[in-house]
Amino acid sequence: MLFKVEMTVNPPASLDTRTFEEIKAREKAYSQELQRQKKWRHIWRVAGLYANVSIFDVESHDELHTILMGLPLYPYMDMTITALCRHPSSIHDNDI
């Protein structure tokens, strides 16, 4: 199952810099491991924002939920999630 997930990070001003840097390091390691597992297929930064657009390829809604809840930055994120499916006009047979 493919999902587009738009994430915007809104850390509170009260979060100290060192703690925030530690959270970001854990987030990077977690996201890169998911990319190696091919569950986090694509990630793009949104220019000018602390935000990204990502494509996840997971077995179920529950798996996506578990992955997203596991993000170290999750408590500071706003997300919009959209389920995706193959378009019948696509010329690619390997994009699912």
Side-chain angles (χ1 to χ4, degrees):
M1 300 179 81
L2 295 177
F3 292 90
K4 176 182 80 168
V5 181
E6 299 173 56
M7 303 178 211
T8 302
V9 181
N10 301 300
S14 61
L15 188 61
D16 68 272
T17 303
R18 190 171 101 184
T19 300
F20 190 50
E21 292 302 317
E22 290 170 358
I23 294 169
K24 289 192 306 184
R26 290 195 331 262
E27 179 90 6
K28 182 176 183 176
Y30 182 69
S31 70
Q32 288 180 342
E33 178 57 29
L34 290 166
Q35 289 172 66
R36 282 189 278 281
Q37 294 174 15
K38 308 239 189 274
K39 294 186 179 295
W40 197 324
R41 284 179 66 176
H42 301 281
I43 183 170
W44 295 276
R45 183 183 314 208
V46 177
L49 299 174
Y50 194 172
N52 74 73
V53 176
S54 294
I55 303 296
F56 287 84
D57 188 355
V58 294
E59 294 296 320
S60 67
H61 299 99
D62 289 333
E63 183 181 18
L64 179 67
H65 178 77
T66 299
I67 286 170
L68 297 177
M69 293 289 293
L71 291 167
L73 285 171
Y74 177 81
Y76 314 113
M77 287 184 176
D78 293 321
M79 294 186 191
T80 302
I81 300 165
T82 305
L84 302 173
C85 58
R86 183 173 166 73
H87 195 285
S89 296
S90 175
I91 62 169
H92 303 287
D93 59 3
N94 62 348
D95 60 351
I96 55 173

